[in-house]
Amino acid sequence: MAEMVTGDLPLVAVVTPVYNGGEHLRETMQSVQNQTYANLVHVVLNNASKDDTAKIIADFRNKRVPVIAAENPTVLKQYDNWNAAHTFVPDDAKYIRLLCADDLMEPECTTRMVELAESDPEILLVGTNVSKNNVPFPLNWDPSVSVMDGPEVIRRFFRNEIGFFAVHTLMRKSVMEWREPLYDDAYVGADFEAVLGILKRGKFGMVHDELGFVRIHEASMTSQVMLKKNTHFADFLSALHRHGPDVFSPAEFDQISQRYELHYLRKSLRWKLKHGSDAARLHFDRLKAERGEITIRDYVACFKDWALIKTGYRKYWDGFPS
């Protein structure tokens, strides 16, 4: 590949935290090397992996895209590792782009994202359409809309009108000056909560082409934790209570939160009946923490909501999470 001239292009840091990622890491790192964007650096933090991760990282020394490689002496928790990885981003970088160690991006992905980000200084995040295990993941954006105010994105997200894929977003590095920590480990899905927290201060840009690829496999955190324990239901509730009041009127927030809480309570009851109290404890604890004790009145409202949905008088909560 011919050497490209960076010119006045802002520096972009692709950040890859990795733990025992040998199965997919080489392909992921190669997708960074294949980027058409010229002014790029790849930050890779090895979280004390025990497989061939370190060797794979070493194989990418002296490639076209410089690799900033570091290794933790002991294993950190996932989001401690993610936050630590971002501390290796060069000071002169203008943008950061997380790329998980088992994900990929099209060669023009960074170029397209930066072009949109540079069109408006108020854009803090740029997303893209993605496919999950080679199946397009619907985000439901109007193709004619490429930039939206952040609070409006949050409102539409909680109303299940549009979505975003948090691990495939480009971020202004300046966000790190006031978002601390960048990823809050109170959430299993800390990446999506970070997007919501950032968007309250700026705009979101959307590249409508499918430029990102996500792998869901047996060893992924999505499979090991989220899908087994349904933690995305708890995260959605906590994020709604944390960020919803900042973008909705009190009446709107009450309406949306009550509707989701009934949906979530009904799901939790099903998990309890099917898998036992231990499997559902997380969810009942989270409901209690965010909206208070669950009473007989709540169970009556839950049954009434189910009856209205079954008879067609009320719409089922059919968006994320469902």
Side-chain angles (χ1 to χ4, degrees), residues 107-118:
E108 69 272 22
C109 184
T110 306
T111 297
R112 297 282 303 280
M113 285 180 154
V114 172
E115 285 176 350
L116 183 52
E118 289 286 281

Side-chain angles (χ1 to χ4, degrees), residues 56-194:
I56 293 170
I57 296 170
D59 288 344
F60 281 85
R61 291 175 183 156
N62 303 317
K63 298 288 188 178
R64 182 185 67 83
V65 176
V67 175
I68 298 174
E71 183 169 353
N72 298 323
T74 58
V75 178
L76 301 180
K77 293 190 297 183
Q78 179 183 3
Y79 291 120
D80 287 344
N81 189 46
W82 284 30
N83 286 321
H86 283 77
T87 66
F88 292 94
V89 171
D91 291 340
D92 57 340
K94 186 174 182 179
Y95 297 103
I96 304 167
R97 194 255 193 258
L98 178 70
L99 184 67
C100 294
D102 47 9
D103 290 347
L104 303 169
M105 52 182 171
E106 288 281 8
E108 69 272 22
C109 184
T110 306
T111 297
R112 297 282 303 280
M113 285 180 154
V114 172
E115 285 176 350
L116 183 52
E118 289 286 281
S119 71
D120 186 340
E122 294 185 12
I123 295 176
L124 298 182
L125 293 167
V126 177
T128 181
N129 279 318
V130 304
S131 66
K132 183 190 294 186
N133 290 351
N134 295 318
V135 178
F137 188 85
L139 299 177
N140 300 322
W141 278 67
D142 181 341
S144 68
V145 177
S146 295
V147 180
M148 189 179 296
D149 287 339
E152 181 62 19
V153 174
I154 299 171
R155 284 192 289 270
R156 295 191 185 192
F157 172 78
F158 283 130
R159 292 197 298 250
N160 279 309
E161 295 172 359
I162 61 173
F164 52 81
F165 220 101
V167 294
H168 277 286
T169 56
L170 182 82
M171 176 192 310
R172 288 189 186 269
K173 181 176 176 287
S174 58
V175 164
M176 293 177 60
E177 297 172 4
W178 50 264
R179 172 78 185 183
E180 176 62 36
L182 188 57
Y183 299 105
D184 183 349
D185 66 3
Y187 298 82
V188 174
D191 49 350
F192 100 91
E193 188 279 326

